[in-house]
Each structure stands twice: as structure tokens, then as C-alpha cells.
Amino acid sequence: MGGGPKLTIRALCITGSSGFIGMNLAPLLNENSELHCFSNNLMYKNKASSNINYLDYSSQAEIIKAVNDYGVPDVFFHLGWGGRTDPENVLLKENNVKDGEMLIKSLYKKGLSKFVFIGSCNEYGGRTGSLSEDMKPLGQINNYTKGKIEVASIGFREAKRQNKIFIHVRVFYVFGP
């Protein structure tokens, strides 16, 4: 077709690869890179036949072992987020925030330079019209949204502290099958 040379990224990692967005993003990323897919869903823990690797996001030791096994990726995409169907659950929020923080800090510590976090349009709250990244949410927000905001805040803070790159993408209304 047209255009110049293809951009090849040495290695990518993606969490939440068994979810709706991850299942559709992984094949696109896999075209020009070495892709490693991870999920903290226990159904993948002992599955040797799956192309999805189990990873306990709350375990620094397991995250570091994964980096030692697969190498430091050029880019790490974090889409994994438990409990989307229970957005008011405080425990799920706390667990997701702890997991996100552990991934960010552990991966930056091991030399990762680019971390991409998939947020949500809900982070704007009830705002309408033209939106910008510096806007705080308007109105009441649920624990799912509070957790996303907290992880983004942690990511930006750690990236600045460690001179790394943190990209926060707010996805708008993704509908499943």
C-alpha cells in the first residue's frame, strides 16, 4: 500500500487482554511488535494453551519476574480493571488502585519508560461540551471513576518523579458484543 516504513516496536505488554477493549487492541498491536498479554483473572493461572499469561498485579515479585522473563517492554498498556459491573464497590476501587500503583512503580523501577493507562470518559463526571484534560469531574462520580482518577494521578506523579512517560487515555463509550 503506500507510506513509508512500518513502525516496529520491540515489545509491548498489555493487561486486560481478555476484556473487550484488550481483545480488540491486542491483534492490532501484535502486527508489528512482540506482544505479551496479561490478565489477573485466575482462569488464566494454570492455562498453558492460552496466549494470555496470568499476572498478579498486586505482587511486585510477580511483576518483576514477568519483566525478567519477557524483558522490559517499550510500552506497557494497562487496561485491566476489575469490577466494572459494580461501580460503587469500595473494595474493588481500592484493589484496582493498589494494583495500578504496583504496576506503575514496579515497571518504572525495572526500566520501563512508557506506561499507557486506559481511563474512562466518566472521569469528566457530568460535564458536557468541549472537554480538556485539566478539567475536574462535575457532579457526583462513582467509585469506579474515583479509582481511575487516582491511578492517573499516581501515574503522572511517578512519571514526573522518575523522568518517565505516562499517557492517560480516556475512552468514550465502548460497547461490547
Side-chain angles (χ1 to χ4, degrees):
M1 237 172 187
K6 287 184 174 181
L7 173 65
T8 301
I9 298 174
R10 182 186 60 76
L12 292 168
C13 289
I14 179 174
T15 65
S17 52
S18 63
F20 178 70
I21 297 173
M23 284 191 314
N24 289 284
L25 180 62
L28 299 174
L29 296 175
N30 199 31
E31 284 185 21
N32 297 307
S33 64
E34 175 187 334
L35 179 66
H36 301 286
C37 296
F38 296 96
S39 176
N40 64 349
N41 186 327
L42 289 171
M43 72 181 253
Y44 293 103
K45 191 162 189 166
N46 297 312
K47 268 192 166 180
S49 62
S50 174
N51 65 340
I52 298 173
N53 302 292
Y54 173 78
L55 179 63
D56 180 352
Y57 307 157
S58 67
S59 170
Q60 184 178 35
E62 282 198 33
I63 295 166
I64 289 172
K65 182 183 181 321
V67 171
N68 291 340
D69 289 349
Y70 299 103
V72 177
D74 293 333
V75 183
F76 189 93
F77 289 84
H78 181 39
L79 287 82
W81 197 269
R84 291 179 326 277
T85 58
D86 191 3
E88 290 299 343
N89 190 315
V90 174
L91 184 59
L92 288 171
K93 174 200 161 254
E94 290 171 2
N95 289 341
N96 283 315
V97 171
K98 285 178 193 173
D99 289 353
E101 182 173 22
M102 183 60 70
L103 283 166
I104 292 165
K105 288 181 176 181
S106 299
L107 290 165
Y108 281 163
K109 181 179 182 178
K110 287 299 286 181
L112 178 75
S113 61
K114 294 179 188 132
F115 192 106
V116 178
F117 174 61
I118 304 303
S120 166
C121 64
N122 294 323
E123 293 173 65
Y124 291 110
R127 291 191 178 278
T128 60
S130 183
L131 303 170
S132 65
E133 293 302 308
D134 60 341
M135 292 178 163
K136 301 285 185 219
L138 180 68
Q140 269 193 311
I141 55 174
N142 60 31
N143 285 320
Y144 166 86
T145 303
K146 290 175 186 174
K148 291 281 188 176
I149 292 169
E150 281 185 55
V151 171
S153 177
I154 291 165
F156 284 120
R157 183 175 59 247
E158 282 301 307
K160 184 176 182 179
R161 191 174 75 74
Q162 298 189 43
N163 197 29
K164 306 287 185 170
I165 297 170
F166 183 83
I167 299 169
H168 177 212
V169 179
R170 293 177 177 170
V171 178
F172 276 73
Y173 295 110
V174 176
F175 292 99

